[in-house]
Amino acid sequence: MLQSITNSSTIVVSGLPMGFAFSIGDYIEVRKSTLVRSLHRVRQATVASSAGIATLSIRYPIDVQNFALPCTVHLEKPSCIMQIDAGSWSASKAMNARTPSFSATEVFPYA
């Protein structure tokens, strides 16, 4: 569970097993709702305390205006919602090379 947001690049996660280890580059998902989620990477190795709390330095700052408590943190199969950038799609029509290419941006579909 997301216990607190210290700033846009530091969060505190609780409910972890004692000694749970985060490695540099691990992905975490902060989820406000099914369609409102944000994907981040751990920037510094961290180990959860005996109380199951870890302070994480994250890459890709969290949007503190739209992500307020309560939120959950997902460690298994973290994800985000992406939208293909306009005009970025390209693909070969050749039968032996059908690899598409595109760029995408994380979106937050608030309804």
Side-chain angles (χ1 to χ4, degrees):
M1 172 166 223
L2 184 61
Q3 182 172 324
S4 65
I5 300 171
T6 306
N7 58 49
S8 63
S9 297
T10 308
I11 60 174
V12 180
V13 178
S14 62
L16 299 166
M18 178 181 73
F20 187 89
F22 290 92
S23 299
I24 295 171
D26 285 350
Y27 282 97
I28 61 165
E29 171 192 335
V30 176
R31 186 182 294 187
K32 182 77 176 164
S33 67
T34 303
L35 294 177
V36 181
R37 53 180 86 173
S38 188
L39 189 63
H40 305 276
R41 291 185 80 178
V42 174
R43 292 187 345 187
Q44 184 176 7
T46 305
V47 175
S49 69
S50 60
I53 298 171
T55 300
L56 301 175
S57 175
I58 56 173
R59 183 171 182 202
Y60 313 117
I62 192 165
D63 182 354
V64 294
Q65 291 180 333
N66 293 305
F67 283 86
L69 300 176
C71 289
T72 56
V73 175
H74 295 255
L75 307 175
E76 187 175 334
K77 296 184 182 179
S79 64
C80 65
I81 297 175
M82 306 287 282
Q83 178 174 337
I84 295 175
D85 296 330
S88 70
W89 174 269
S90 67
S92 171
K93 292 182 181 180
M95 289 301 283
N96 61 348
R98 300 199 84 150
T99 358
S101 174
F102 60 89
S103 62
T105 302
E106 186 175 14
V107 295
F108 305 103
Y110 299 99

